[in-house]
Structure formats: structure tokens, C-alpha cells
Amino acid sequence: MEQSAEVDRLRIEGAGCGISPTVERTVDGIARSAQVLKELCHMGEVKMESKLVAEAIGTFALTFIGAGAIIVGSLDGGSTPLLTVAMAHGIVLAVVVSATMSISGGHINPAVTLAFLAIKKIDSTTAGAYIVAQLVGAVLAGGLLFTIYGEANFGGTPAPGSIGGEVLEPTQVILVEVVLTFLLMFAVMGTAVDSRAPAGIAGLGIGMMVAADILMGGPLTGAAMNPARHLGTALFDGLVGDAWMYWVGPVVGAALAALVYNQFILEEDEE
């Protein structure tokens, strides 16, 4: 029992310094796992400033590349293929999650951060700081894109689509975003949190889920799944009035997925 309690304590400390719980699969035995976690946490302790910078840069990259791909594809009156939009977002997210995983945990999304807060895997002070950093990174990216392309060519903000010529109602937009973000957060829990996941799969798994979600939900809501990604361009696109839908949907969906996974799938000693 004492040894198990020590591992639980080290898991918490490991998460606090950016060490993924999947490191436990690289060693044999609980005692040795605890020692490795202790050593890595001591060696890899990350300052809060570094975590916030990582989150800001990660969200900047997602917004700049994701929205930028949409803008480039729509220049001269064209229309960006859905597959291009999906892959641009999925690939850049896979890269930045992998790049920031050992620094900040690779949230890159206020909805993900709030979901981790809901299951007590992050404290409220850190969560608030993460969200501010994510919003700053996204807004900087949106502002830079606006400066580069100008008002006439700017775009890339997720917005309600239409079915049969009728624009989706707010309740429909929120419902779609809830489902899409639920699936995204399920991928986060299954690949980045659950220690039974294959090592090193988190970035790819999360990025590909985003790409798949966009292929389905892009025409309906823009498939934001991320309040920062939406707000980063909405501020310059005259679509701030829709922002509430892109907060409610993703936050509810991510929180539900985290709570369900934490309650019914995650092993007891990892909860």
C-alpha cells in the first residue's frame, strides 16, 4: 500500500513537471517506475513561464496554419478543399502537441484545459494561466494573418454552416461542437493520459482525430473544437457574436469526455 501511494504521489508530481504518465511503461516493476518518475521529474522540472510560452506558441501555430490554409485556398475567389483544411489542422496539432507534451502537457485548447480541471488533473490557477496563454497565442496569430492578407482576403473563422439552404441554429451548432469535442477529448484521454496507450502516439492520435472531426463537422460548424482557435480569428473577422457557441459546445463536450473516461475507463490508480 505504501509503495502504491508513493507511485500515486509521483504521478501527480510528474504531471506537474510535464512528465507523461506513459513513462511508466518503459520500466519494469512499480518500485523502479517510481524511481524513474522521481528522477525524470527532478531533471525535467519546467518553470511556469516555459509552460505558458509553450501553450501560447502551440495555439499560435494551430491558428496561424489552420486559418492560414483556409485563407490561402480561398484567394482569388477559390474555395479551400475540406481535406486540405482537415489535414492542415490535424498535422500542425499533431506536431505542436508532440512538441509541447513534455513541457506543458500539450493542451493547446481552453476546452481541454477546463476538462482536465474538471477531473482535477490541473489546479485552477494553472488552468487560468494556460487559458490566457492560449488565447494570447491565438489572437496574435489571427492579428498577424489579418496584417498579411488584409481585410478583403481575411477569413478562416469557424462559423455555422447550412443544411438544405438553412443556416444551423445555435442549438445545432452547440450540439455538433459538443460531439466533435467529446471525441477529441476522448482521444486525448486515451492517448496522452491513459498509461496503457502505445508510447509516443499522443500527438498523432490527437491530430488525426481533429482532422477526422473536421471532415465531418467542417461544413456544419467549421469544427472549431477549440474556443481559442475560434476567437483568434473571430476578433478580426466580425464574428465575435458567435463566440459563445464555440465556448459552450467545446467546453461541455471536452468535460463530458474527461469525466466519462476518468470514471469508467481509466484504471483506478490513475484517476
Side-chain angles (χ1 to χ4, degrees):
M1 290 294 291
E2 291 181 2
Q3 199 172 52
S4 178
E6 172 70 0
V7 172
D8 287 340
R9 183 180 69 79
L10 286 166
R11 278 196 179 114
I12 295 172
E13 291 180 356
C17 69
I19 300 300
S20 170
T22 58
V23 72
E24 290 182 79
R25 293 195 308 279
T26 66
V27 295
D28 299 319
I30 294 177
R32 191 175 169 201
S33 296
Q35 181 60 33
V36 169
L37 273 176
K38 183 183 292 184
E39 291 174 357
L40 285 176
C41 193
H42 175 71
M43 293 169 59
E45 189 168 353
V46 180
K47 295 179 180 180
M48 178 57 73
E49 292 84 354
S50 299
K51 295 180 181 182
L52 299 182
V53 170
E55 285 293 311
I57 292 175
T59 315
F60 175 93
L62 173 64
T63 305
F64 188 79
I65 299 299
I70 296 173
I71 295 171
V72 169
S74 61
L75 292 176
D76 301 321
S79 178
T80 310
L82 183 60
L83 182 60
T84 298
V85 178
M87 294 311 297
H89 285 83
I91 291 171
V92 71
L93 188 62
V95 172
V96 296
V97 167
S98 298
T100 61
M101 181 69 71
S102 62
I103 302 170
S104 64
H107 294 196
I108 322 298
N109 186 337
V112 170
T113 297
L114 289 172
F116 280 134
L117 179 63
I119 58 174
K120 300 179 180 179
K121 289 192 177 293
I122 189 172
D123 63 82
S124 58
T125 301
T126 302
Y130 269 36
I131 291 171
V132 170
Q134 292 156 359
L135 293 174
V136 168
V139 170
L140 286 175
L144 182 57
L145 287 170
F146 187 81
T147 300
I148 293 171
Y149 292 102
E151 183 176 358
N153 296 311
F154 187 76
T157 302
S162 60
I163 299 177
E166 296 187 6
V167 178
L168 269 68
E169 297 290 334
T171 52
Q172 293 174 295
V173 173
I174 291 171
L175 181 58
V176 172
E177 287 291 322
V178 166
V179 175
L180 296 180
T181 317
F182 180 97
L183 297 175
L184 169 59
M185 191 65 199
F186 182 82
V188 172
M189 294 294 292
T191 62
V193 177
D194 197 326
S195 64
R196 295 168 295 183
I201 196 66
L204 179 62
I206 294 167
M208 290 301 96
M209 179 57 80
V210 164
D213 275 353
I214 291 174
L215 288 173
M216 182 277 163
L220 300 177
T221 67
M225 300 168 279
N226 185 330
R229 166 65 184 86
H230 178 270
L231 191 62
T233 51
L235 282 174
F236 306 92
D237 214 7
L239 296 173
V240 178
D242 291 338
W244 69 275
M245 295 184 287
Y246 292 94
W247 275 92
V248 174
V251 169
V252 171
L256 283 174
L259 290 167
V260 168
Y261 202 105
N262 195 59
Q263 180 67 33
F264 299 107
I265 302 176
L266 204 63
E267 292 182 329
E268 289 185 8
D269 59 357
E270 292 187 77
E271 293 178 2

